[in-house]
Amino acid sequence: MRKISARWIPHLLTKEQKQARVKTAKQLLKLYPKYDSRSFANVVTGDETWVHFYEPKRKMANKIWATKNAKRPCIAKRTMSVKKVMYAIFFSNQGSAFQIAVPKGKSVNAKFYKGKVLNKLKKYFNKRRPATGLRGVRLLHDNASCHKATIVRDFLKQEKLVELPHPPYSPDLAPCDFFLFPRLKKYLAGRKYKTRKDLGSAIFQCLKSIPRKDYETAFKNWIKRLKLCISHAGEYFEGMR
């Protein structure tokens, strides 16, 4: 006998949700059975996340070598009152595409997502592909209500931008959630920022410092995760043998 801890999972999946995860994973693997830079050149992914002015270091990062009688180091937890900013961040296999800070007091609704975020995405691809712009670009984002609103879908249709399917309750299949955001939070951990400008500059430096090969690896891992989702019958597979 041995004592083990419970495995943390994002959501208690129903049978139907597991089936939806498997179905979507199979659809995506038909499009992308393996990674190659050419087929992923027109794929872009993004999401929103809260970024705090102070991110405490993780417990493991604060371990030190110490003598038997030495006192344990102390570190303050981040309090609920610590300021934070919501950012929309997008990237491709080429690297970071852009970051947008949501203005104070605003929320990411359909109007903001279409008017600010997707229009920024349009400018990004107009610069990269002047002749075609967003036409034929494949967008991977989650099922947040602002992403699925009518005005957003109309914009995608108008720009001939293809929306890739993503199953509900599946952060383990979203490159932002399993790759970019954890890496960003780790980079910011232990640092304090006084202004939104300072925080934004730090985020920009972090995203630009990530090598291109790491962004490519994120999409390679996305394909691996789709296969794991299928082999585990739609269950969350992280932490499982």
Side-chain angles (χ1 to χ4, degrees), residues 113-128:
Y113 189 68
K114 182 252 180 184
K116 297 294 184 180
V117 179
L118 292 182
N119 272 317
K120 183 78 172 181
L121 185 66
K122 183 177 179 179
K123 291 178 182 178
Y124 171 75
F125 276 98
N126 282 343
K127 186 176 180 180
R128 286 185 60 197

Side-chain angles (χ1 to χ4, degrees), residues 5 13 18 20 33 52 77 98 102 108 125 150 218-219 222 240:
S5 298
L13 296 166
K18 294 174 190 176
H52 291 78
K77 287 185 177 181
F98 63 87
V102 180
V108 182
F125 276 98
T150 301
F219 287 103
W222 177 62
M240 293 181 68

Side-chain angles (χ1 to χ4, degrees), residues 164-183:
L164 294 174
H166 180 78
Y169 307 111
S170 299
D172 55 336
L173 302 179
C176 281
D177 288 310
F178 68 73
F179 161 66
L180 190 63
F181 294 162
R183 186 149 179 173

